[in-house]
Structure formats: structure tokens, C-alpha cells
Amino acid sequence: MADSIVGQETGRESSLSNWAGPYVTSMLGKGAALANEDYNAYTGPLTAGQSNLQNQAFQGIAGLTVPTEQMGNYQPQSFTQQGTAQQYMNPYINAALQPQLDELRRQTEKSRVEQAGRLTQAGAYGGSRQALADAELSRSMLSNMANVTGQGYNQAFQQAQQQFNTEQQQGQQSQNLANQFGLQALANQVQAGQLQRNIEQEGITADRLQFEEERDFPYKQVQYQQSLLQGLPIAAQSYSYAQPSALSDFLQGSGGVYDLLSNVFLPQKKETGFFDGAVDAVTGAASGAVDAVTGAASDAYDYVTGNDGDGG
């Protein structure tokens, strides 16, 4: 019977190859020295921050006075409201018309004198003809004065209406400009605030990344040491196996004899019985050989130890 432990692996040992040993040892030493060094932190600024021009712009934008109270819809007025027309008409209209009226009176009086002279020469002065002529002069003067006054007030009214419309348009435009300026000022303040926030966030992000780099530095050093050995065929392995004993070799040999006898004499086993005898003879011989080896080993042990074999 074969020994069940024969040929099984009993140990394994790995070591560096002879050609790679000195190099790997030197490399690991240098890597360990680098990995044990302290973190060399950057002490300079992490961000540029705000420039002087940006600070001035921020201060100017922050100082803008936003007309929020004046912003809104424009409420137009009506020219037909009571007193609006008089408010926009020329307050000196009467003074402007008076010279024209005086001139009409002077011209009328001049015409009356000339007319009286003609009537006197004709011998009709003081009669009904003179009365009709004077009445016509008075009517013409009053008509002219009315026309002058009407045209003057009509012109003053149109100018007042035009001035009113102009002021209404200017008021609407002024309201639009105030709204536009206010909204633009608010938009500029929002944009400047976002720019300030971005600059501040840039500094916070840089500080956080610096913290994470310092925190992860020891772990990266370990990974660095590990990476020094990746991909290098530097391992040499040796294996040891269980060897067969003398008894196992003999038993394996007797098993082979048994197989030989089985193949030769198995067909005649039932008729002659020779196979059984052969097997018994081989087995007896094997047992005798084993006993002989065992006895020889025991005698050798007694001889070496000085034992006389009686248990003393």
C-alpha cells in the first residue's frame, strides 16, 4: 500500500532573487526614508484675492444710491383739469396784449380826428352823418381789439398745451431713466456681490484642498512604498515534499509483485490454488523481511544505547 503523505507539499519559502536583492533593498531603503519625511507645506498664498481696482469698483457700486422709492409707473396728468391751462399760460399775457390794444385806440382816435376834419369842411360836422362815422370807427376798433385779444389767448393756450405735453414726456422719460438706473444699479450690485463671493469661495476651496492634501499625505506615502515593488519579477520560491520511507518503498514493491502474480495466475486461481500459495509466499517473505529489518534496527539501537534487551 502506498504511503498517503508521500509527494505532498510540506513547506514553501519565498525570497528575493539574487540578482534583484541588492537593488530592491537599496530602493526600499530610499523609499522608506522619503516616506518618513515630514510634510513640506506650501506657506505662500493659495489665491490671488481681490485687486485694488476691484476693491474700488466694489466700493463705488456699493455706494450707489438706488432710487427705489422713486421707481415705479409714471402717472400722467390731464391738461383739461381745472386750472391746468391757466397754470401753463403766460402770466404776462395781458401785459403783452396791452400795447396792441393801445395802438388800436390811438389809430382809432387818429381816424376820428381826420374824419371830423373832413366832415367840417363838408359842413356836416355835428350831424347824423358824423354820428354814423364815429360809430363805425368805434365798432372797427372793438372788433380789432377782440381779434388781437383772441389770437393772443389762443396762442398762449397752444403754447401752454405744448409746454404741458413736453413736461409730460420729460416726466415719463425721467421715470423710465430712474427705473432703468435703479434696476441697472441693483444688477451691478448683484454681479459685484457674486464676484466677491466667487473670490471668497476660491479661497475656501483652496484651504479645503490644502487640508485634504495634508490629511492624505501619510496614506499616499504608504501607497508610494507599495508602488515601488509593483511589476518587478523579484520573487524566488522553493518547495519541499515528503519523501517515501524504506518500508514504503518495499511495500510498494510487494504491491507490484502482487499485481504481477494477479495478472499471471488469476485465470488459474479456482482450479489449481497456485495463486493463493504464491501470494502467501510473497506475503510471508515480505513479512519476514520486515521482521528482519525491524530486528536489525532494534539490535542496533540496543548496541548504541547499551541496552541488553531485557528491559534493564
Side-chain angles (χ1 to χ4, degrees):
M1 183 178 294
D3 193 347
S4 60
I5 67 172
V6 173
Q8 291 185 357
E9 183 179 334
T10 60
R12 179 181 297 182
E13 181 179 358
S14 299
S15 61
L16 295 175
S17 300
N18 293 332
W19 66 269
Y23 173 77
V24 173
T25 301
S26 176
M27 180 182 63
L28 291 178
K30 294 178 180 178
L34 292 175
N36 291 329
E37 289 186 356
D38 296 333
Y39 180 80
N40 188 12
Y42 171 71
T43 58
L46 297 177
T47 58
Q50 300 176 178
S51 65
N52 293 331
L53 292 178
Q54 285 178 325
N55 289 329
Q56 295 177 3
F58 292 152
Q59 293 175 359
I61 293 175
L64 291 177
T65 301
V66 182
T68 54
E69 296 181 356
Q70 290 78 22
M71 295 172 61
N73 296 328
Y74 179 74
Q75 300 295 333
Q77 299 179 2
S78 176
F79 187 72
T80 60
Q81 291 181 356
Q82 184 67 30
T84 303
Q86 290 76 6
Q87 180 181 357
Y88 284 91
M89 290 177 66
N90 186 1
Y92 305 103
I93 185 172
N94 292 329
L97 293 176
Q98 191 62 42
Q100 300 182 45
L101 298 176
D102 293 340
E103 180 63 20
L104 287 174
R105 291 189 183 96
R106 190 181 67 80
Q107 292 294 334
T108 301
E109 290 297 327
K110 180 180 178 182
S111 298
R112 183 177 287 108
V113 170
E114 292 176 354
Q115 179 177 271
R118 289 193 300 270
L119 290 174
T120 299
Q121 292 177 0
Y125 181 78
S128 59
R129 185 176 178 183
Q130 180 182 359
L132 291 175
D134 290 341
E136 181 63 24
L137 286 175
S138 297
R139 186 195 63 80
S140 177
M141 181 189 69
L142 294 175
S143 177
N144 291 332
M145 293 178 66
N147 291 334
V148 169
T149 303
Q151 292 178 0
Y153 275 93
N154 181 45
Q155 184 179 2
F157 180 85
Q158 291 180 357
Q159 291 178 351
Q161 189 178 32
Q162 182 179 1
Q163 180 64 26
F164 174 82
N165 293 334
T166 301
E167 291 186 5
Q168 291 294 303
Q169 294 176 358
Q170 291 178 349
Q172 179 67 51
Q173 184 178 5
S174 177
Q175 183 66 62
N176 293 337
L177 291 176
N179 295 341
Q180 182 178 358
F181 171 77
L183 294 176
Q184 186 63 40
L186 293 175
N188 290 338
Q189 289 177 348
V190 171
Q191 185 177 3
Q194 183 62 42
L195 181 58
Q196 284 182 322
R197 188 177 185 276
N198 293 340
I199 295 175
E200 183 68 20
Q201 182 61 46
E202 182 181 354
I204 295 175
T205 301
D207 293 340
R208 179 178 58 82
L209 294 177
Q210 183 69 13
F211 163 76
E212 293 178 354
E213 182 178 353
E214 296 180 8
R215 180 196 62 188
D216 298 339
F217 177 75
Y219 303 97
K220 292 181 180 179
Q221 295 301 94
V222 175
Q223 294 177 354
Y224 164 72
Q225 288 182 307
Q226 181 183 3
S227 66
L228 295 177
L229 301 177
Q230 291 180 356
L232 295 178
I234 59 176
Q237 296 181 343
S238 61
Y239 303 89
S240 59
Y241 299 90
Q243 299 295 329
S245 61
L247 177 60
S248 177
D249 291 339
F250 180 78
L251 291 177
Q252 289 179 355
S254 64
V257 174
Y258 181 84
D259 293 337
L260 177 61
L261 294 177
S262 297
N263 293 328
V264 175
F265 299 104
L266 184 57
Q268 301 176 1
K269 179 179 179 182
K270 295 182 179 180
E271 299 177 358
T272 62
F274 176 79
F275 177 75
D276 292 337
V279 171
D280 293 338
V282 172
T283 303
S287 299
V290 171
D291 293 339
V293 172
T294 303
S298 178
D299 292 339
Y301 176 78
D302 293 339
Y303 176 77
V304 173
T305 58
N307 188 4
D308 55 2
D310 57 358

